[in-house]
Amino acid sequence: MDKIKDIIVILTSTLLGFFAPIQDFLVAILLLMGVNFASGLLEDELNGTGWKGRKAFKAFTELFVLTGIGTFVYALGHFMHAEQESVACVSAVCYAAIYFYSRNICHNWVKITKPETTLHKLFLFLYWLIGFYFLEKVPWLRTYFERGQQELDIKCNKEREE
């Protein structure tokens, strides 16, 4: 039994050391997903729809997928001797997640707060600010919304028809 514990400790230490360059991004995704889960749960409870196991499972699945994408991209870049580029790619994934999940968090809080309260107005403003200003600071995400999303929708619709 002690050998199994030793092996687990060694493997965990090795993986943590390997993924150290993207540790901050993984923590950011974990925090973002935790706040998203909590705000969604609170919104469901306060608006009478109640806690749903399906939504919780979806939130944890999304967390698993996002961390999986980040670690996979970094590992590929590391083994291709393009570690800096892979960290930049993980950063891009993290920024995209921040955009989409921050908007969702603000949307939930808009639904939680009472209209005409200062907090409600603040979350409406933050929802707008993230949607507008964040896109100005992350040009590739703005380009996606301007052109890429339409191109992708057209392509996916054609594939469905075939």
Side-chain angles (χ1 to χ4, degrees), residues 58-88:
K58 180 181 175 234
F60 287 111
T61 302
E62 289 174 2
L63 172 63
F64 178 74
V65 168
L66 280 172
T67 55
I69 289 170
T71 55
F72 182 70
V73 165
Y74 175 74
L76 285 177
H78 174 80
F79 291 119
M80 293 176 61
H81 304 286
E83 198 165 310
Q84 288 180 332
E85 291 85 352
S86 67
V87 170

PDB file of all heavy atoms in Angstrom, residues 58-88:
ATOM      1  N   LYS A  58     -23.121  19.528 -16.046  1.00  0.00           N
ATOM      2  CA  LYS A  58     -22.663  20.289 -17.207  1.00  0.00           C
ATOM      3  C   LYS A  58     -21.528  21.228 -16.816  1.00  0.00           C
ATOM      4  O   LYS A  58     -20.533  21.349 -17.533  1.00  0.00           O
ATOM      5  CB  LYS A  58     -23.826  21.074 -17.806  1.00  0.00           C
ATOM      6  CG  LYS A  58     -23.458  21.886 -19.015  1.00  0.00           C
ATOM      7  CD  LYS A  58     -24.663  22.665 -19.538  1.00  0.00           C
ATOM      8  CE  LYS A  58     -24.240  23.551 -20.661  1.00  0.00           C
ATOM      9  NZ  LYS A  58     -24.587  24.929 -20.502  1.00  0.00           N
ATOM     10  N   ALA A  59     -21.660  21.895 -15.669  1.00  0.00           N
ATOM     11  CA  ALA A  59     -20.619  22.825 -15.214  1.00  0.00           C
ATOM     12  C   ALA A  59     -19.303  22.088 -14.960  1.00  0.00           C
ATOM     13  O   ALA A  59     -18.229  22.561 -15.361  1.00  0.00           O
ATOM     14  CB  ALA A  59     -21.075  23.552 -13.953  1.00  0.00           C
ATOM     15  N   PHE A  60     -19.369  20.939 -14.314  1.00  0.00           N
ATOM     16  CA  PHE A  60     -18.143  20.179 -14.043  1.00  0.00           C
ATOM     17  C   PHE A  60     -17.563  19.585 -15.323  1.00  0.00           C
ATOM     18  O   PHE A  60     -16.346  19.493 -15.465  1.00  0.00           O
ATOM     19  CB  PHE A  60     -18.397  19.111 -12.986  1.00  0.00           C
ATOM     20  CG  PHE A  60     -18.554  19.686 -11.615  1.00  0.00           C
ATOM     21  CD1 PHE A  60     -19.774  19.667 -10.981  1.00  0.00           C
ATOM     22  CD2 PHE A  60     -17.484  20.287 -10.963  1.00  0.00           C
ATOM     23  CE1 PHE A  60     -19.940  20.220  -9.718  1.00  0.00           C
ATOM     24  CE2 PHE A  60     -17.620  20.848  -9.700  1.00  0.00           C
ATOM     25  CZ  PHE A  60     -18.864  20.815  -9.081  1.00  0.00           C
ATOM     26  N   THR A  61     -18.421  19.224 -16.258  1.00  0.00           N
ATOM     27  CA  THR A  61     -17.948  18.735 -17.554  1.00  0.00           C
ATOM     28  C   THR A  61     -17.206  19.844 -18.289  1.00  0.00           C
ATOM     29  O   THR A  61     -16.145  19.619 -18.875  1.00  0.00           O
ATOM     30  CB  THR A  61     -19.125  18.215 -18.399  1.00  0.00           C
ATOM     31  OG1 THR A  61     -19.787  17.177 -17.685  1.00  0.00           O
ATOM     32  CG2 THR A  61     -18.661  17.699 -19.743  1.00  0.00           C
ATOM     33  N   GLU A  62     -17.771  21.055 -18.258  1.00  0.00           N
ATOM     34  CA  GLU A  62     -17.122  22.186 -18.919  1.00  0.00           C
ATOM     35  C   GLU A  62     -15.771  22.500 -18.266  1.00  0.00           C
ATOM     36  O   GLU A  62     -14.800  22.813 -18.956  1.00  0.00           O
ATOM     37  CB  GLU A  62     -18.036  23.403 -18.900  1.00  0.00           C
ATOM     38  CG  GLU A  62     -19.225  23.253 -19.824  1.00  0.00           C
ATOM     39  CD  GLU A  62     -20.225  24.384 -19.705  1.00  0.00           C
ATOM     40  OE1 GLU A  62     -19.985  25.332 -18.919  1.00  0.00           O
ATOM     41  OE2 GLU A  62     -21.255  24.326 -20.400  1.00  0.00           O
ATOM     42  N   LEU A  63     -15.706  22.418 -16.954  1.00  0.00           N
ATOM     43  CA  LEU A  63     -14.438  22.622 -16.256  1.00  0.00           C
ATOM     44  C   LEU A  63     -13.411  21.582 -16.701  1.00  0.00           C
ATOM     45  O   LEU A  63     -12.265  21.917 -17.008  1.00  0.00           O
ATOM     46  CB  LEU A  63     -14.638  22.544 -14.739  1.00  0.00           C
ATOM     47  CG  LEU A  63     -13.363  22.555 -13.888  1.00  0.00           C
ATOM     48  CD1 LEU A  63     -12.606  23.858 -14.057  1.00  0.00           C
ATOM     49  CD2 LEU A  63     -13.701  22.306 -12.438  1.00  0.00           C
ATOM     50  N   PHE A  64     -13.837  20.332 -16.769  1.00  0.00           N
ATOM     51  CA  PHE A  64     -12.955  19.251 -17.206  1.00  0.00           C
ATOM     52  C   PHE A  64     -12.478  19.490 -18.643  1.00  0.00           C
ATOM     53  O   PHE A  64     -11.296  19.325 -18.950  1.00  0.00           O
ATOM     54  CB  PHE A  64     -13.689  17.914 -17.091  1.00  0.00           C
ATOM     55  CG  PHE A  64     -12.886  16.743 -17.550  1.00  0.00           C
ATOM     56  CD1 PHE A  64     -11.846  16.251 -16.782  1.00  0.00           C
ATOM     57  CD2 PHE A  64     -13.168  16.128 -18.761  1.00  0.00           C
ATOM     58  CE1 PHE A  64     -11.093  15.163 -17.216  1.00  0.00           C
ATOM     59  CE2 PHE A  64     -12.429  15.043 -19.202  1.00  0.00           C
ATOM     60  CZ  PHE A  64     -11.383  14.565 -18.433  1.00  0.00           C
ATOM     61  N   VAL A  65     -13.384  19.897 -19.520  1.00  0.00           N
ATOM     62  CA  VAL A  65     -13.025  20.137 -20.922  1.00  0.00           C
ATOM     63  C   VAL A  65     -12.045  21.309 -21.042  1.00  0.00           C
ATOM     64  O   VAL A  65     -11.042  21.218 -21.762  1.00  0.00           O
ATOM     65  CB  VAL A  65     -14.287  20.375 -21.783  1.00  0.00           C
ATOM     66  CG1 VAL A  65     -13.940  20.904 -23.160  1.00  0.00           C
ATOM     67  CG2 VAL A  65     -15.093  19.084 -21.904  1.00  0.00           C
ATOM     68  N   LEU A  66     -12.321  22.408 -20.342  1.00  0.00           N
ATOM     69  CA  LEU A  66     -11.427  23.572 -20.421  1.00  0.00           C
ATOM     70  C   LEU A  66     -10.030  23.264 -19.888  1.00  0.00           C
ATOM     71  O   LEU A  66      -9.031  23.643 -20.496  1.00  0.00           O
ATOM     72  CB  LEU A  66     -12.021  24.755 -19.664  1.00  0.00           C
ATOM     73  CG  LEU A  66     -13.084  25.536 -20.414  1.00  0.00           C
ATOM     74  CD1 LEU A  66     -13.748  26.553 -19.494  1.00  0.00           C
ATOM     75  CD2 LEU A  66     -12.494  26.229 -21.614  1.00  0.00           C
ATOM     76  N   THR A  67      -9.953  22.592 -18.755  1.00  0.00           N
ATOM     77  CA  THR A  67      -8.630  22.238 -18.234  1.00  0.00           C
ATOM     78  C   THR A  67      -7.967  21.205 -19.141  1.00  0.00           C
ATOM     79  O   THR A  67      -6.749  21.241 -19.329  1.00  0.00           O
ATOM     80  CB  THR A  67      -8.697  21.716 -16.789  1.00  0.00           C
ATOM     81  OG1 THR A  67      -9.599  20.625 -16.721  1.00  0.00           O
ATOM     82  CG2 THR A  67      -9.129  22.811 -15.835  1.00  0.00           C
ATOM     83  N   GLY A  68      -8.752  20.329 -19.717  1.00  0.00           N
ATOM     84  CA  GLY A  68      -8.214  19.348 -20.656  1.00  0.00           C
ATOM     85  C   GLY A  68      -7.641  20.009 -21.897  1.00  0.00           C
ATOM     86  O   GLY A  68      -6.553  19.648 -22.360  1.00  0.00           O
ATOM     87  N   ILE A  69      -8.369  20.981 -22.439  1.00  0.00           N
ATOM     88  CA  ILE A  69      -7.865  21.702 -23.613  1.00  0.00           C
ATOM     89  C   ILE A  69      -6.560  22.416 -23.265  1.00  0.00           C
ATOM     90  O   ILE A  69      -5.582  22.341 -24.013  1.00  0.00           O
ATOM     91  CB  ILE A  69      -8.914  22.711 -24.134  1.00  0.00           C
ATOM     92  CG1 ILE A  69     -10.087  21.975 -24.785  1.00  0.00           C
ATOM     93  CG2 ILE A  69      -8.295  23.689 -25.136  1.00  0.00           C
ATOM     94  CD1 ILE A  69     -11.271  22.871 -25.112  1.00  0.00           C
ATOM     95  N   GLY A  70      -6.555  23.099 -22.130  1.00  0.00           N
ATOM     96  CA  GLY A  70      -5.345  23.827 -21.731  1.00  0.00           C
ATOM     97  C   GLY A  70      -4.144  22.921 -21.555  1.00  0.00           C
ATOM     98  O   GLY A  70      -3.054  23.199 -22.069  1.00  0.00           O
ATOM     99  N   THR A  71      -4.327  21.821 -20.843  1.00  0.00           N
ATOM    100  CA  THR A  71      -3.194  20.918 -20.611  1.00  0.00           C
ATOM    101  C   THR A  71      -2.777  20.206 -21.892  1.00  0.00           C
ATOM    102  O   THR A  71      -1.583  20.008 -22.132  1.00  0.00           O
ATOM    103  CB  THR A  71      -3.525  19.885 -19.512  1.00  0.00           C
ATOM    104  OG1 THR A  71      -4.722  19.188 -19.858  1.00  0.00           O
ATOM    105  CG2 THR A  71      -3.689  20.575 -18.166  1.00  0.00           C
ATOM    106  N   PHE A  72      -3.732  19.854 -22.733  1.00  0.00           N
ATOM    107  CA  PHE A  72      -3.416  19.180 -23.990  1.00  0.00           C
ATOM    108  C   PHE A  72      -2.636  20.099 -24.922  1.00  0.00           C
ATOM    109  O   PHE A  72      -1.628  19.694 -25.511  1.00  0.00           O
ATOM    110  CB  PHE A  72      -4.709  18.696 -24.661  1.00  0.00           C
ATOM    111  CG  PHE A  72      -4.495  17.952 -25.935  1.00  0.00           C
ATOM    112  CD1 PHE A  72      -3.938  16.687 -25.936  1.00  0.00           C
ATOM    113  CD2 PHE A  72      -4.858  18.520 -27.147  1.00  0.00           C
ATOM    114  CE1 PHE A  72      -3.741  15.997 -27.116  1.00  0.00           C
ATOM    115  CE2 PHE A  72      -4.672  17.831 -28.331  1.00  0.00           C
ATOM    116  CZ  PHE A  72      -4.100  16.570 -28.323  1.00  0.00           C
ATOM    117  N   VAL A  73      -3.096  21.331 -25.061  1.00  0.00           N
ATOM    118  CA  VAL A  73      -2.407  22.293 -25.932  1.00  0.00           C
ATOM    119  C   VAL A  73      -0.987  22.535 -25.426  1.00  0.00           C
ATOM    120  O   VAL A  73      -0.033  22.558 -26.208  1.00  0.00           O
ATOM    121  CB  VAL A  73      -3.212  23.610 -26.023  1.00  0.00           C
ATOM    122  CG1 VAL A  73      -2.383  24.738 -26.610  1.00  0.00           C
ATOM    123  CG2 VAL A  73      -4.484  23.401 -26.830  1.00  0.00           C
ATOM    124  N   TYR A  74      -0.847  22.706 -24.119  1.00  0.00           N
ATOM    125  CA  TYR A  74       0.491  22.927 -23.574  1.00  0.00           C
ATOM    126  C   TYR A  74       1.389  21.713 -23.812  1.00  0.00           C
ATOM    127  O   TYR A  74       2.547  21.860 -24.209  1.00  0.00           O
ATOM    128  CB  TYR A  74       0.429  23.252 -22.076  1.00  0.00           C
ATOM    129  CG  TYR A  74       1.805  23.363 -21.495  1.00  0.00           C
ATOM    130  CD1 TYR A  74       2.589  24.480 -21.757  1.00  0.00           C
ATOM    131  CD2 TYR A  74       2.357  22.332 -20.742  1.00  0.00           C
ATOM    132  CE1 TYR A  74       3.883  24.579 -21.263  1.00  0.00           C
ATOM    133  CE2 TYR A  74       3.640  22.425 -20.249  1.00  0.00           C
ATOM    134  CZ  TYR A  74       4.399  23.544 -20.516  1.00  0.00           C
ATOM    135  OH  TYR A  74       5.685  23.625 -20.040  1.00  0.00           O
ATOM    136  N   ALA A  75       0.864  20.516 -23.563  1.00  0.00           N
ATOM    137  CA  ALA A  75       1.670  19.303 -23.752  1.00  0.00           C
ATOM    138  C   ALA A  75       2.099  19.161 -25.213  1.00  0.00           C
ATOM    139  O   ALA A  75       3.265  18.831 -25.490  1.00  0.00           O
ATOM    140  CB  ALA A  75       0.890  18.073 -23.294  1.00  0.00           C
ATOM    141  N   LEU A  76       1.181  19.426 -26.144  1.00  0.00           N
ATOM    142  CA  LEU A  76       1.556  19.358 -27.563  1.00  0.00           C
ATOM    143  C   LEU A  76       2.675  20.339 -27.881  1.00  0.00           C
ATOM    144  O   LEU A  76       3.653  19.987 -28.546  1.00  0.00           O
ATOM    145  CB  LEU A  76       0.346  19.655 -28.453  1.00  0.00           C
ATOM    146  CG  LEU A  76      -0.693  18.567 -28.597  1.00  0.00           C
ATOM    147  CD1 LEU A  76      -1.857  19.057 -29.453  1.00  0.00           C
ATOM    148  CD2 LEU A  76      -0.090  17.317 -29.215  1.00  0.00           C
ATOM    149  N   GLY A  77       2.520  21.577 -27.423  1.00  0.00           N
ATOM    150  CA  GLY A  77       3.548  22.583 -27.679  1.00  0.00           C
ATOM    151  C   GLY A  77       4.878  22.216 -27.047  1.00  0.00           C
ATOM    152  O   GLY A  77       5.940  22.416 -27.640  1.00  0.00           O
ATOM    153  N   HIS A  78       4.828  21.672 -25.850  1.00  0.00           N
ATOM    154  CA  HIS A  78       6.059  21.266 -25.166  1.00  0.00           C
ATOM    155  C   HIS A  78       6.798  20.200 -25.970  1.00  0.00           C
ATOM    156  O   HIS A  78       8.013  20.298 -26.172  1.00  0.00           O
ATOM    157  CB  HIS A  78       5.726  20.742 -23.768  1.00  0.00           C
ATOM    158  CG  HIS A  78       6.896  20.176 -23.049  1.00  0.00           C
ATOM    159  ND1 HIS A  78       7.829  20.971 -22.416  1.00  0.00           N
ATOM    160  CD2 HIS A  78       7.300  18.888 -22.874  1.00  0.00           C
ATOM    161  CE1 HIS A  78       8.757  20.199 -21.881  1.00  0.00           C
ATOM    162  NE2 HIS A  78       8.459  18.931 -22.139  1.00  0.00           N
ATOM    163  N   PHE A  79       6.072  19.201 -26.433  1.00  0.00           N
ATOM    164  CA  PHE A  79       6.718  18.112 -27.160  1.00  0.00           C
ATOM    165  C   PHE A  79       7.102  18.497 -28.583  1.00  0.00           C
ATOM    166  O   PHE A  79       7.888  17.801 -29.227  1.00  0.00           O
ATOM    167  CB  PHE A  79       5.840  16.862 -27.150  1.00  0.00           C
ATOM    168  CG  PHE A  79       5.740  16.255 -25.779  1.00  0.00           C
ATOM    169  CD1 PHE A  79       4.515  16.145 -25.145  1.00  0.00           C
ATOM    170  CD2 PHE A  79       6.864  15.819 -25.104  1.00  0.00           C
ATOM    171  CE1 PHE A  79       4.415  15.597 -23.870  1.00  0.00           C
ATOM    172  CE2 PHE A  79       6.780  15.277 -23.823  1.00  0.00           C
ATOM    173  CZ  PHE A  79       5.557  15.175 -23.206  1.00  0.00           C
ATOM    174  N   MET A  80       6.567  19.609 -29.070  1.00  0.00           N
ATOM    175  CA  MET A  80       6.963  20.123 -30.388  1.00  0.00           C
ATOM    176  C   MET A  80       8.046  21.201 -30.242  1.00  0.00           C
ATOM    177  O   MET A  80       8.389  21.866 -31.217  1.00  0.00           O
ATOM    178  CB  MET A  80       5.749  20.696 -31.120  1.00  0.00           C
ATOM    179  CG  MET A  80       4.739  19.645 -31.504  1.00  0.00           C
ATOM    180  SD  MET A  80       3.260  20.339 -32.262  1.00  0.00           S
ATOM    181  CE  MET A  80       3.947  21.129 -33.695  1.00  0.00           C
ATOM    182  N   HIS A  81       8.555  21.385 -29.020  1.00  0.00           N
ATOM    183  CA  HIS A  81       9.582  22.376 -28.716  1.00  0.00           C
ATOM    184  C   HIS A  81       9.116  23.793 -29.042  1.00  0.00           C
ATOM    185  O   HIS A  81       9.890  24.616 -29.541  1.00  0.00           O
ATOM    186  CB  HIS A  81      10.887  22.050 -29.449  1.00  0.00           C
ATOM    187  CG  HIS A  81      11.384  20.673 -29.152  1.00  0.00           C
ATOM    188  ND1 HIS A  81      11.967  20.341 -27.947  1.00  0.00           N
ATOM    189  CD2 HIS A  81      11.345  19.524 -29.890  1.00  0.00           C
ATOM    190  CE1 HIS A  81      12.277  19.057 -27.964  1.00  0.00           C
ATOM    191  NE2 HIS A  81      11.905  18.532 -29.119  1.00  0.00           N
ATOM    192  N   ALA A  82       7.837  24.040 -28.771  1.00  0.00           N
ATOM    193  CA  ALA A  82       7.249  25.369 -28.962  1.00  0.00           C
ATOM    194  C   ALA A  82       6.494  25.744 -27.686  1.00  0.00           C
ATOM    195  O   ALA A  82       5.314  26.073 -27.716  1.00  0.00           O
ATOM    196  CB  ALA A  82       6.322  25.354 -30.169  1.00  0.00           C
ATOM    197  N   GLU A  83       7.213  25.695 -26.587  1.00  0.00           N
ATOM    198  CA  GLU A  83       6.580  25.888 -25.283  1.00  0.00           C
ATOM    199  C   GLU A  83       5.994  27.291 -25.131  1.00  0.00           C
ATOM    200  O   GLU A  83       4.880  27.447 -24.632  1.00  0.00           O
ATOM    201  CB  GLU A  83       7.585  25.606 -24.169  1.00  0.00           C
ATOM    202  CG  GLU A  83       6.923  25.354 -22.842  1.00  0.00           C
ATOM    203  CD  GLU A  83       7.879  24.729 -21.841  1.00  0.00           C
ATOM    204  OE1 GLU A  83       8.552  23.739 -22.162  1.00  0.00           O
ATOM    205  OE2 GLU A  83       7.923  25.270 -20.722  1.00  0.00           O
ATOM    206  N   GLN A  84       6.705  28.320 -25.557  1.00  0.00           N
ATOM    207  CA  GLN A  84       6.190  29.683 -25.422  1.00  0.00           C
ATOM    208  C   GLN A  84       4.920  29.878 -26.256  1.00  0.00           C
ATOM    209  O   GLN A  84       3.981  30.532 -25.808  1.00  0.00           O
ATOM    210  CB  GLN A  84       7.244  30.705 -25.823  1.00  0.00           C
ATOM    211  CG  GLN A  84       8.377  30.819 -24.820  1.00  0.00           C
ATOM    212  CD  GLN A  84       9.405  31.846 -25.242  1.00  0.00           C
ATOM    213  OE1 GLN A  84       9.588  32.112 -26.422  1.00  0.00           O
ATOM    214  NE2 GLN A  84      10.087  32.422 -24.260  1.00  0.00           N
ATOM    215  N   GLU A  85       4.912  29.320 -27.443  1.00  0.00           N
ATOM    216  CA  GLU A  85       3.732  29.436 -28.296  1.00  0.00           C
ATOM    217  C   GLU A  85       2.538  28.694 -27.693  1.00  0.00           C
ATOM    218  O   GLU A  85       1.403  29.154 -27.782  1.00  0.00           O
ATOM    219  CB  GLU A  85       4.016  28.893 -29.705  1.00  0.00           C
ATOM    220  CG  GLU A  85       4.979  29.741 -30.511  1.00  0.00           C
ATOM    221  CD  GLU A  85       6.447  29.413 -30.231  1.00  0.00           C
ATOM    222  OE1 GLU A  85       6.742  28.634 -29.291  1.00  0.00           O
ATOM    223  OE2 GLU A  85       7.300  29.953 -30.946  1.00  0.00           O
ATOM    224  N   SER A  86       2.817  27.563 -27.068  1.00  0.00           N
ATOM    225  CA  SER A  86       1.714  26.811 -26.464  1.00  0.00           C
ATOM    226  C   SER A  86       1.158  27.545 -25.246  1.00  0.00           C
ATOM    227  O   SER A  86      -0.050  27.525 -25.008  1.00  0.00           O
ATOM    228  CB  SER A  86       2.150  25.387 -26.099  1.00  0.00           C
ATOM    229  OG  SER A  86       3.101  25.397 -25.069  1.00  0.00           O
ATOM    230  N   VAL A  87       2.015  28.223 -24.490  1.00  0.00           N
ATOM    231  CA  VAL A  87       1.535  29.023 -23.362  1.00  0.00           C
ATOM    232  C   VAL A  87       0.669  30.174 -23.891  1.00  0.00           C
ATOM    233  O   VAL A  87      -0.376  30.485 -23.314  1.00  0.00           O
ATOM    234  CB  VAL A  87       2.703  29.545 -22.499  1.00  0.00           C
ATOM    235  CG1 VAL A  87       2.221  30.567 -21.476  1.00  0.00           C
ATOM    236  CG2 VAL A  87       3.400  28.389 -21.800  1.00  0.00           C
ATOM    237  N   ALA A  88       1.069  30.781 -24.995  1.00  0.00           N
ATOM    238  CA  ALA A  88       0.262  31.846 -25.606  1.00  0.00           C
ATOM    239  C   ALA A  88      -1.093  31.307 -26.065  1.00  0.00           C
ATOM    240  O   ALA A  88      -2.121  31.982 -25.921  1.00  0.00           O
ATOM    241  CB  ALA A  88       1.014  32.478 -26.777  1.00  0.00           C
TER     242      ALA A  88
END
